[in-house]
């Protein structure tokens, strides 16, 4: 799985008083390599990850941390995403 790095439209700046905005890159999938864990889970390029194991994620840092935590507890995890047309998707990712 190739991570597509796009600046978040919600990136917080030093002069921004809003604390509810995430700081980091939005978790949008780039190219999904054939045979990868993401491909086996049915994930596709362009999907926006929204939760890992029911925990909301807003940045790639959130995704990495949640996957690390889950990998210590289980062999697979549900990844929630928004696909084409904002379709709600759930993928079972083998860790």
């Amino acid at each position: 799985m190739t991570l597509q790095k796009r600046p978040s439209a919600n990136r917080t700046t030093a002069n921004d008083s809003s604390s509810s905005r995430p700081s980091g890159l939005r978790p949008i999938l780039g190219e999904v390599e054939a045979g990868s864990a993401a491909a086996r889970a049915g994930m596709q390029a362009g999907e926006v990850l929204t939760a890992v194991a029911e925990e909301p994620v807003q940045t790639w840092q959130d995704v990495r941390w949640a996957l690390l935590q889950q990998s210590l507890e289980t062999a697979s995890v549900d990844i929630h995403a928004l696909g084409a047309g904002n379709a709600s998707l759930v993928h079972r990712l083998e860790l």
Side-chain angles (χ1 to χ4, degrees):
M1 165 173 68
T2 302
L3 307 180
Q4 184 174 355
K5 296 184 177 183
R6 290 188 187 174
S8 173
N10 296 329
R11 183 167 278 189
T12 303
T13 64
N15 295 327
D16 189 350
S17 62
S18 173
S19 62
S20 64
R21 293 183 177 172
S23 177
L25 300 174
R26 290 185 64 208
I28 301 170
L29 292 179
E31 179 184 346
V32 177
E33 295 181 28
S36 67
R40 290 191 300 275
M43 301 172 94
Q44 297 183 6
E47 291 181 6
V48 179
L49 306 185
T50 58
V52 174
E54 306 295 330
E55 289 294 323
V57 294
Q58 296 181 339
T59 67
W60 278 114
Q61 182 174 345
D62 294 344
V63 172
R64 286 190 303 269
W65 180 247
L67 288 173
L68 175 62
Q69 290 178 310
Q70 290 301 309
S71 71
L72 299 173
E73 300 173 13
T74 186
S76 63
V77 64
D78 286 340
I79 306 289
H80 297 257
L82 293 177
N86 283 333
S88 182
L89 308 167
V90 180
H91 302 286
R92 174 59 58 122
L93 184 68
E94 299 298 325
L95 301 174

